[in-house]
Amino acid sequence: MNTGLPPAGAMDLVLDVRGLMPPEPLERVLDALATLPPSKRLLMVIDREPRPLYGILRQNGFLHACTVRSDTAFEILIWKGSDPSV
């Protein structure tokens, strides 16, 4: 989990990709991030941890925070930023 989490915004984008087969969840999140305004965040809900996504995010200047919900879904909060520790 990365630090430097931006404040929550009422207009954050939620992308629920549970039940989709790879690589569709990755494709959908990358498409959404391509048009995400710098002041907004993307909340991806997925039924497995998207480990390959983390390196792609880092390479493209995005930060993320991962939370496992009680229903075992993963919530990946993604935002544009810079963190010298990553």
Side-chain angles (χ1 to χ4, degrees):
M1 177 153 96
N2 294 317
T3 58
L5 190 65
M11 299 302 285
D12 289 346
L13 177 64
V14 176
L15 182 63
D16 189 340
V17 294
R18 289 176 287 181
L20 299 178
M21 296 301 296
E24 194 169 358
L26 180 61
E27 292 171 347
R28 286 195 183 188
V29 73
L30 294 177
D31 287 346
L33 290 174
T35 60
L36 187 71
S39 61
K40 300 297 178 193
R41 305 179 313 173
L42 174 66
L43 179 63
M44 175 187 194
V45 182
I46 188 167
D47 43 15
R48 58 196 167 279
E49 188 171 17
R51 288 193 175 127
L53 175 63
Y54 301 150
I56 294 169
L57 294 175
R58 192 170 31 257
Q59 289 174 354
N60 289 289
F62 288 94
L63 301 175
H64 71 278
C66 179
T67 304
V68 181
R69 301 183 341 183
S70 61
D71 65 356
T72 69
F74 288 81
E75 289 185 348
I76 315 298
L77 186 62
I78 305 166
W79 66 97
K80 190 73 170 171
S82 61
D83 183 347
S85 68
V86 291

